[in-house]
Amino acid sequence: EVQLVESGGGLVQPGGSLRLSCVGSGFIFSTYYMSWVRQAPGKGLEWVANIKHDGSERYYADSVKGRFTISRDNAKNSLYLQMHSLRVEDTAVYYCTRERTYYDILTGPRFDYWGQGTLVTVSS
Amino acid sequence: QPVLTQPPSASGTPGQRVTISCSGSSSNIGFEIVNWFQQLPGTAPKLLIYSDDQRPSGVPDRFSGSKSGTSASLAISGLQSEDEADYYCAAWDVSLNVWVFGGGTKLTVL
């Protein structure tokens, strides 16, 4: 059974830092692109960042570029999101999601599994 | 403002057919595959449709997707009370190199 389990959320002051983690199981983690998607309270889904299966490329939403860093450790089946210079508007539930296999380039399921989410609250 | 445009709300009665639209541009929907997600209250999103019109195993065939040009649609036939949820479309944008989502459509079953 595929599972994604996030951790690391919590309350942090504006300007602070936080590191989120996500552990995947039940699939070959090293063959999948992975993404973080967030959802502010009462708002819609917002894609944050993704990383290729081998960590060689990463992309970011403009709203987090330069402040957040996505990384992975395939030996530990783990995905990370290092967040710096946090703002009130970064308050959200952050979901780890399995994006696609490295070989499903043109078609195939996207974001077919999601974690339960971890809440990040930025407030003084 | 979300890059993909969805109506904020939709509604229907049990048994009816409803459609939800998603409008984009030539750099996202017009170029890449569209995905649809269902989010029930208090839960993580669930993949409903991928590659424009494909259903993952376990998704009822009451749900269908289509695409034409820079717009996509999600249709739900035989509406049921458990379909009451938020629905989102998403596509990769080849110009921005980011995933773009619609703002979401809240479906109410009357």
Side-chain angles (χ1 to χ4, degrees), chain A residues 39 44 99 107-110 114-115, chain B residues 35 39 44-45 50-51 88 98-99:
Chain A
Q39 187 169 35
E99 185 175 319
T107 186
R110 303 294 192 252
W114 299 63
Chain B
N35 309 270
Q39 187 176 32
Y50 68 94
S51 296
Y88 297 90
V98 298
W99 277 97

Side-chain angles (χ1 to χ4, degrees), chain A residues 35 37 39 43-47 50 59-62 65 95 99 105-112 114-116, chain B residues 32-33 35 37 39 42-47 50-51 54 86 88 90 92 96-104:
Chain A
S35 271
V37 174
Q39 187 169 35
K43 302 297 184 182
L45 301 174
E46 179 189 17
W47 176 81
N50 74 351
Y59 293 98
Y60 298 91
D62 283 348
K65 200 173 294 183
Y95 294 103
E99 185 175 319
I105 299 172
L106 296 179
T107 186
R110 303 294 192 252
F111 303 127
D112 58 348
W114 299 63
Q116 83 287 354
Chain B
E32 290 281 352
I33 55 176
N35 309 270
F37 303 89
Q39 187 176 32
T43 68
K46 169 190 169 184
L47 179 63
Y50 68 94
S51 296
Q54 300 298 302
D86 294 324
Y88 297 90
W92 179 255
L96 301 174
N97 280 326
V98 298
W99 277 97
V100 290
F101 279 81

Side-chain angles (χ1 to χ4, degrees), chain B residues 51-105:
Chain B
S51 296
D52 301 338
D53 57 9
Q54 300 298 302
R55 284 185 310 276
S57 60
V59 173
D61 59 6
R62 302 187 296 105
F63 294 91
S64 62
S66 63
K67 186 175 81 173
S68 178
T70 59
S71 292
S73 290
L74 173 71
I76 309 172
S77 59
L79 199 60
Q80 299 180 5
S81 57
E82 56 259 41
D83 299 334
E84 193 160 282
D86 294 324
Y87 293 85
Y88 297 90
C89 57
W92 179 255
D93 190 296
V94 296
S95 294
L96 301 174
N97 280 326
V98 298
W99 277 97
V100 290
F101 279 81
T105 298

Side-chain angles (χ1 to χ4, degrees), chain B residues 17-28:
Chain B
R17 182 178 187 269
V18 297
T19 61
I20 297 172
S21 62
C22 176
S23 177
S25 69
S26 58
S27 63
N28 42 66

